[in-house]
């Protein structure tokens, strides 16, 4: 029989920084695609980057909003 242990404390993280780094990666990918232009059948890659940036901006707003308990 296993002995019960209390749950560990949550790890302190900088969620805003994590989301900002991910958004920046999408932005770099978008710039690279705009410079090197994908084939016409692969222009959806550009829209994927735009969507990633949009979700990243939403994510930064979401993690920074005040917590309502």
């Amino acid at each position: 029989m296993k002995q019960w242990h209390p749950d560990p404390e949550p790890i302190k993280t900088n969620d805003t920084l994590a989301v900002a780094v991910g958004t920046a990666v999408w932005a770099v990918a978008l710039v690279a695609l705009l410079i090197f232009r994908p084939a016409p059948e692969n222009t959806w890659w550009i829209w994927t980057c735009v969507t990633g940036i949009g979700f990243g901006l939403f994510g930064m707003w979401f993690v920074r909003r005040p917590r309502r308990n």
Side-chain angles (χ1 to χ4, degrees), residues 40-68:
E41 65 271 9
N42 293 329
T43 55
W44 63 270
W45 293 353
I46 293 172
W47 293 110
T48 302
C49 293
V50 170
T51 303
I53 293 168
F55 278 130
L57 293 174
F58 172 76
M60 282 199 282
W61 168 81
F62 188 80
V63 298
R64 295 178 81 189
R65 70 190 171 96
R67 300 277 186 234
R68 294 184 182 112

Side-chain angles (χ1 to χ4, degrees), residues 23-41:
T23 305
V25 170
W26 281 115
V28 168
L30 176 62
V31 169
L33 286 172
L34 292 175
I35 291 172
F36 296 109
R37 287 288 188 198
E41 65 271 9

